[in-house]
């Protein structure tokens, strides 16, 4: 039990370090502190999806499931980056904010859904397997499926809304400064 608690503590520290490093890399890539925050905002929703999925399947979180959370965070962040990067591209091409968000949502929905669905479908055998040793890998499947199911749709809804709110606030601040 003590070893398990120590392992979870170290994994929690590793998760925090991963989130910090991902944020730093995205901040340097986007040359902004706000846009990575928009993307990182979806990560807690992934954790709520994980908790709901574990509760519904009566599965306990173990080390393999915790590693599934690390995998899940990577996929969630990638989906957010795909969307925000395309919104930035549309704004650079001269579209106004709402139009850029609308175009990006339409054009990036398919890649986001394809990533999520292929990952979910690829991991379903781990979540439903009944074979020998399956109980070890089941939490990984449950964690990834639950988290991706919730965050895929929230990424397509929340990220554009937050982007619009933060961009409008930034534009108001620029006008006020001028």
């Amino acid at each position: 039990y003590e070893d398990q608690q120590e392992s979870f503590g170290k994994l929690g520290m590793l998760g925090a370090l991963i989130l910090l490093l991902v944020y730093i890399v995205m901040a340097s890539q986007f040359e902004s502190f706000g846009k990575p925050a928009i993307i990182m905002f979806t990560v807690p929703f992934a954790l709520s999806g994980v908790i709901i999925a574990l509760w519904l399947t009566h599965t306990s979180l173990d080390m393999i499931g915790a590693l599934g959370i690390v995998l899940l965070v990577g996929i969630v962040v990638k989906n957010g980056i795909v969307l925000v990067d395309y919104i930035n591209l549309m704004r650079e091409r001269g579209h106004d904010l709402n139009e850029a968000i609308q175009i990006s949502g339409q054009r990036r929905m398919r890649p986001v859904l394809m990533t999520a669905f292929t990952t979910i479908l690829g991991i379903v055998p781990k979540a439903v397997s009944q074979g020998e040793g399956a109980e070890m890998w089941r939490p990984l499947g449950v964690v990834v499926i639950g988290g991706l199911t919730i965050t895929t749709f929230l990424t397509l809804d929340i990220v554009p809304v937050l982007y619009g709110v933060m961009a409008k606030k930034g534009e108001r601040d620029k006008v006020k400064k001028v």
Side-chain angles (χ1 to χ4, degrees):
Y1 177 77
E2 289 175 5
D3 288 342
Q4 182 183 21
Q5 293 303 319
E6 183 181 336
S7 296
F8 271 116
K10 288 180 181 179
L11 196 61
M13 180 68 88
L14 177 66
L17 183 61
I18 287 170
L19 290 174
L20 178 67
L21 290 174
V22 165
Y23 182 82
I24 290 169
V25 168
M26 283 192 301
S28 68
Q29 194 70 22
F30 287 121
E31 297 176 355
S32 165
F33 291 115
K35 290 173 185 158
I38 293 168
I39 295 167
M40 299 300 279
F41 188 77
T42 57
V43 172
F45 292 110
L47 298 178
S48 67
V50 166
I51 292 168
I52 291 169
L54 289 172
W55 179 72
L56 287 175
T57 60
H58 303 289
T59 306
S60 61
L61 183 66
D62 60 3
M63 276 314 275
I64 302 294
L67 290 174
I69 292 174
V70 173
L71 170 75
L72 177 64
V73 167
I75 295 170
V76 168
V77 167
K78 184 210 81 70
N79 284 342
I81 290 171
V82 164
L83 194 55
V84 168
D85 191 43
Y86 203 77
I87 295 172
N88 289 340
L89 179 67
M90 291 293 102
R91 300 246 359 238
E92 288 172 9
R93 290 184 178 171
H95 295 282
D96 71 323
L97 177 63
N98 290 332
E99 186 181 9
I101 291 172
Q102 182 181 7
I103 291 169
S104 300
Q106 290 171 349
R107 292 191 183 160
R108 293 293 117 190
M109 180 170 33
R110 186 169 148 201
V112 168
L113 290 176
M114 285 174 58
T115 300
F117 289 153
T118 56
T119 304
I120 289 170
L121 290 174
I123 206 134
V124 163
K126 292 244 186 268
V128 298
S129 178
Q130 298 293 322
E132 197 172 313
E135 65 277 352
M136 186 171 103
W137 293 102
R138 189 170 300 122
L140 177 111
V142 169
V143 162
V144 173
I145 290 170
L148 268 181
T149 301
I150 298 290
T151 58
T152 298
F153 298 107
L154 291 177
T155 296
L156 292 169
D157 291 335
I158 290 177
V159 169
V161 170
L162 285 175
Y163 188 99
V165 168
M166 290 185 75
K168 284 182 182 176
K169 182 184 181 304
E171 289 172 1
R172 277 184 280 169
D173 291 346
K174 285 180 186 176
V175 168
K176 205 182 286 185
K177 195 175 188 178
V178 169

